[in-house]
Amino acid sequence: MTGVATWHRRLDAARTEDAPRITRLFGLPAAQIVYFTFLMMIFIGQQPFSSRTQEQLVALAQNADGSDFSKQMFFIGFALILSTVALTQRHAREYRFSYWPLVIMLGWFLITCTWGVDPFVSFKRAMQQVIVIYITFLSLALIGPERLYKTLRAALILSLIICWVSLPLTSAAVHPPSESDKALIGAWRGFFFHKNIAGAVMALTFVVCGHAYFTERKWPFALFSVMAFVFVIGTKSKTSLALCFVILAVSGVYRVLSASVAKRAILLLLVGVGMVAFLALYIAFQPTVERLFADPTAFTGRVSIWKVPLDYLAEHPYLGAGFGGFWQVGDKSPAFLYINQQFQTLTAHSHNGYLEILVTTGPIGLVLLLVSFVVQPAWWYLTGATAENRTLLATSFGIWSFVLYQNLLETSFFDKDRQVWVIFLSAIAIAHASFKAVERPEWHRRWAPAATRSSGKSWTSIGARGRRRRA
């Protein structure tokens, strides 16, 4: 896989003019169209507006072992198409991949597959993640962060329009009366499988379109933002609804503070403290919150679900169950040994992204996750903002903050090909490339003659002027 953590641009970008014009004109639009199609197929899925009877949910839980051949071909096909576009381009790529903490994390995930109860299932799930990440970062290498951002924005807006159009046209756009979890009945979901997925994607659309309006002052973006917010209300997704305005406000403040590193540091600290407080309040007032979400024995009973992986960790604290090897690995699933309620047999994840990584890949996996997706991006957002890239970084910051909070109550980190996970990867790629494009001083040492004869020679620190790398 080419391209995972430190991106840099060619300093002599003008050399791209040496490439045949027709090759450049073909390469960028082709890569952008391929990535847009990839996003739309991820958002819509293979079975849009699918029904959700109890029998179908049980079948999905039993067959969720990564063996979907059509899905495998889908991912491999897009990776091959983008690789072909990259190989046919005659000029150097705009970016080179160097996000090494992510590579190390993927390597550790692959190692953990070896001790899972079904190593082949774990390996298939891990390789699916490798391909999704490859597609995202290769697209970034081909089209750059600005086009990647616009492609993501276009895919979100199109999804929003389709969801709204579907409401009066099909009853499948709303959770049906056949739902075993009665709290879901009547909730909007559009073409998504579940109202929580629809709520999260529409909340992110609300944030993205909000920042687009702040930048371009075009009324359609304001309209799309309002439409997305109303749809979130219709989904009855309380987590997404609670985060909507908070995340837009926080990322808006970040946008305003693009010229102040110290103030951005305070904002990032508040985001971190807020995450801890958010989870603490949820646990402290769990009975009340559970009643708001639904019956605690239904699919949204998070605290009762958390007890399953926590009980496993109490007996297996060091290595975890192997990547993707705790829930829904057939009859051998380690979770089955700790389940004490019938509804938990259909649970696909821990409803906490950090706990999910901990129970499957151990403390090492959790540390690598925090370094790759929390600590390092925080540094990018702290030091990489400028007046030129504030739209890209502020939008990415909003998505990043939303997903960090959402993973306290849901699992989207490395969650197959889930929509929120793919959006998050796009935001991380945009943030990293934007950070690398910022002008900053580069220091080097040179051997200089001594100022005094007594010492003969001395080392002199010279500050070389930083070069601007444009995104």
Side-chain angles (χ1 to χ4, degrees), residues 69-345:
F69 180 76
S70 60
K71 182 177 289 187
Q72 292 172 355
M73 292 301 99
F74 161 69
F75 287 119
I76 293 173
F78 274 95
L80 290 176
I81 292 172
L82 283 172
S83 299
T84 301
V85 172
L87 292 173
T88 56
Q89 286 188 317
R90 301 303 181 188
H91 61 286
R93 296 178 191 173
E94 189 174 1
Y95 295 95
R96 295 182 186 276
F97 185 78
S98 56
Y99 193 7
W100 300 117
L102 180 55
V103 173
I104 295 172
M105 181 165 54
L106 288 173
W108 172 250
F109 287 173
L110 289 170
I111 291 173
T112 66
C113 293
T114 59
W115 56 74
V117 293
D118 192 331
F120 187 51
V121 169
S122 294
F123 179 75
K124 286 188 292 185
R125 290 174 173 174
M127 287 307 300
Q128 185 182 62
Q129 295 303 318
V130 170
I131 295 175
V132 170
I133 292 170
Y134 174 81
I135 290 172
T136 301
F137 282 93
L138 181 56
S139 298
L140 174 64
L142 293 171
I143 66 180
E146 180 71 29
R147 289 187 178 89
L148 195 76
Y149 157 73
K150 290 182 177 179
T151 304
L152 174 63
R153 186 179 70 188
L156 288 172
I157 291 174
L158 180 57
S159 298
L160 170 67
I161 294 172
I162 295 174
C163 284
W164 269 104
V165 171
S166 70
L167 286 176
L169 295 181
T170 173
S171 60
V174 177
H175 278 282
S178 61
E179 289 285 1
S180 56
D181 182 1
K182 302 307 179 184
L184 297 178
I185 297 174
W188 297 359
R189 65 184 181 114
F191 56 65
F192 297 100
F193 181 74
H194 194 280
K195 60 101 173 176
N196 283 345
I197 300 173
V201 175
M202 292 300 104
L204 292 173
T205 305
F206 169 73
V207 173
V208 170
C209 290
H211 280 289
Y213 175 74
F214 295 154
T215 301
E216 302 184 25
R217 298 295 178 181
K218 294 180 179 179
W219 69 263
F221 291 123
L223 175 61
F224 292 142
S225 189
V226 172
M227 289 171 61
F229 180 71
V230 174
F231 203 93
V232 174
I233 296 175
T235 66
K236 302 180 184 179
S237 179
K238 295 177 176 61
T239 303
S240 298
L241 183 60
L243 290 175
C244 265
F245 277 108
V246 173
I247 296 302
L248 182 61
V250 168
S251 55
V253 172
Y254 175 87
R255 182 190 188 95
V256 173
L257 299 179
S258 59
S260 174
V261 174
K263 293 178 180 177
R264 289 200 303 272
I266 296 174
L267 179 64
L268 285 167
L269 180 62
L270 292 176
V271 169
V273 171
M275 287 181 60
V276 176
F278 184 77
L279 184 58
L281 287 173
Y282 181 86
I283 295 174
F285 296 96
Q286 181 263 324
T288 302
V289 175
E290 287 293 351
R291 285 195 296 272
L292 291 175
F293 274 102
D295 180 354
T297 62
F299 292 106
T300 51
R302 281 150 172 90
V303 173
S304 60
I305 292 174
W306 293 342
K307 189 175 185 304
V308 176
L310 288 175
D311 287 346
Y312 176 87
L313 286 168
E315 298 181 10
H316 308 83
Y318 302 114
L319 296 177
F323 181 82
F326 187 71
W327 304 93
Q328 295 187 347
V329 197
D331 295 335
K332 298 182 291 185
S333 299
F336 285 171
L337 300 175
Y338 302 88
I339 284 175
N340 55 24
Q341 297 187 48
Q342 181 60 35
F343 83 97
Q344 293 171 344
T345 60

Side-chain angles (χ1 to χ4, degrees), residues 322-400:
F323 181 82
F326 187 71
W327 304 93
Q328 295 187 347
V329 197
D331 295 335
K332 298 182 291 185
S333 299
F336 285 171
L337 300 175
Y338 302 88
I339 284 175
N340 55 24
Q341 297 187 48
Q342 181 60 35
F343 83 97
Q344 293 171 344
T345 60
L346 299 180
T347 301
H349 53 77
S350 302
H351 279 274
N352 183 298
Y354 308 96
L355 180 58
E356 180 74 11
I357 293 299
L358 180 61
V359 76
T360 55
T361 64
I364 294 177
L366 180 61
V367 169
L368 290 173
L369 174 82
L370 295 176
V371 170
S372 300
F373 289 156
V374 180
V375 176
Q376 193 164 18
W379 177 252
W380 302 339
Y381 295 123
L382 176 65
T383 63
T386 65
E388 290 77 15
N389 69 15
R390 63 181 179 179
T391 295
L392 292 178
L393 274 185
T395 305
S396 173
F397 179 79
I399 296 173
W400 176 73

Side-chain angles (χ1 to χ4, degrees), residues 47 50-68 125 180 193 299 327-331 336 342-343 345-348 416 418:
Q47 296 177 324
S50 59
S51 57
R52 289 168 48 89
T53 64
Q54 181 70 9
E55 293 74 19
Q56 288 172 320
L57 291 174
V58 172
L60 284 172
Q62 293 175 342
N63 297 322
D65 62 354
S67 298
D68 189 329
R125 290 174 173 174
S180 56
F193 181 74
F299 292 106
W327 304 93
Q328 295 187 347
V329 197
D331 295 335
F336 285 171
Q342 181 60 35
F343 83 97
T345 60
L346 299 180
T347 301
K416 305 180 181 68
R418 299 302 186 200

